[in-house]
Amino acid sequence: ETAIKRFDKPPKVGIDLGCSRGYAAFNRFGNYDHFERILGIDIDSDSLQIADKESEKYLANWTFKKTSLEEPEELAKAIGDFLEGYTEPVLVWSAFVFHFFKDPMSIFKALQKLLPVGSVIIIRTLDDLTPVFYPDPDDLLQRVKLSRHSKFSDAERYHARKLPFQFIESGLSNPEMISETVFSSNMNSEEKEIHRYVWFSFYEQLAVYQAGQIEDPREREKFLKEYAE
């Protein structure tokens, strides 16, 4: 709703970058009648098949396409084909994806060229849990800075902080940062457990998916061990 308020009139077209199984897209786009067409992009074929089947429950016209978000030309073709001839502003949504990219600016620049004037991009990322680093006897902050983008790790909390500057440098305009803090002090034990499950189950699924991309069994075992730690 924060993004929709940026439009002169409710957008009819939405794009989810890194849609996975579509759960965020269905929540963000599926519950609003003014969306007529939605494009979901992801690299995982199995997730897209699940999303495509789930989309039958919603009224809008859904399209799910396997595309690498880290290949600007491939991304440009997917979005360009979808938007061909469409000139009204669109809403682009991406959750917990951009801080894993090696070169987010290349994606921002591609979007800047592709999207109709007046479009809005909303990126949900992380800059959380920083207080757990202090005191830092294991030099965790330094390990975070040295972590690879392609590896599931606490690196996201370091790399996510670069995104606002990369957004501006890529030529996109009118950035706005919105912070959301969830306080658990006023939650009962059941609410806390639900909140904990939602977050940790998401990261567990992500880690299992990333481990599946590692061909060497020994490297895969090492990766999962590091994740568990």
Side-chain angles (χ1 to χ4, degrees):
E1 291 186 1
T2 300
I4 291 173
K5 291 176 182 177
R6 290 283 197 98
F7 293 85
D8 293 331
K9 58 181 180 179
K12 297 178 181 179
V13 172
I15 300 175
D16 185 352
L17 302 178
C19 65
S20 185
R21 300 180 180 183
Y23 35 75
F26 298 138
N27 180 268
R28 295 299 184 271
F29 301 124
N31 293 320
Y32 294 90
D33 295 338
H34 54 80
F35 284 109
E36 298 175 359
R37 298 171 58 226
I38 296 99
L39 171 65
I41 291 177
D42 203 271
I43 194 63
D44 184 49
S45 299
D46 293 338
S47 293
L48 291 175
Q49 289 180 4
I50 295 172
D52 188 49
K53 183 175 180 58
E54 188 70 15
S55 69
E56 297 174 1
K57 301 177 182 178
Y58 298 87
L59 295 176
N61 182 6
W62 297 79
T63 300
F64 293 96
K65 189 170 183 61
K66 181 179 179 180
T67 302
S68 172
L69 295 175
E70 295 206 74
E71 297 293 337
E73 292 183 4
E74 190 176 330
L75 178 64
K77 182 173 182 358
I79 295 180
D81 290 347
F82 179 74
L83 292 178
E84 185 175 8
Y86 191 80
T87 58
E88 295 184 24
V90 305
L91 174 59
V92 178
W93 160 266
S94 187
F96 308 123
V97 173
F98 270 81
H99 47 264
F100 288 115
F101 291 156
K102 295 178 181 178
D103 184 15
M105 274 191 66
S106 66
I107 312 301
F108 288 145
K109 289 179 179 178
L111 293 174
Q112 197 270 340
K113 295 178 181 179
L114 287 166
L115 300 178
V117 175
S119 296
V120 174
I121 305 170
I122 183 165
I123 298 171
R124 187 174 186 185
T125 185
L126 291 179
D127 184 10
D128 68 342
L129 298 182
T130 304
V132 305
F133 291 152
Y134 299 99
D136 191 15
D138 299 321
D139 202 20
L140 183 57
L141 278 174
Q142 182 62 20
R143 287 169 53 197
V144 166
K145 292 179 181 179
L146 296 176
S147 296
R148 295 177 5 239
H149 288 69
S150 58
K151 173 183 175 183
F152 181 90
S153 68
D154 293 309
E156 62 191 64
R157 297 177 190 126
Y158 173 70
H159 299 299
R161 296 170 192 169
K162 302 175 184 177
L163 291 176
F165 305 99
Q166 294 170 329
F167 185 94
I168 297 170
E169 292 173 4
S170 67
L172 294 166
S173 59
N174 301 324
E176 178 182 353
M177 294 182 64
I178 302 172
S179 298
E180 179 185 28
T181 303
V182 177
F183 295 98
S184 61
S185 57
N186 59 344
M187 295 182 183
N188 59 38
S189 58
E190 183 179 0
E191 290 171 332
K192 289 181 179 179
E193 179 61 22
I194 292 173
H195 184 69
R196 185 205 66 80
Y197 172 78
V198 168
W199 283 102
F200 282 89
S201 62
F202 168 81
Y203 283 109
E204 184 175 6
Q205 291 176 35
L206 180 60
V208 170
Y209 166 73
Q210 292 186 325
Q213 312 305 304
I214 303 174
E215 296 182 1
D216 188 330
R218 290 173 297 181
E219 287 296 318
R220 188 185 312 122
E221 183 178 354
K222 180 181 177 183
F223 172 87
L224 289 172
K225 182 179 179 181
E226 290 180 355
Y227 165 74
E229 291 174 353

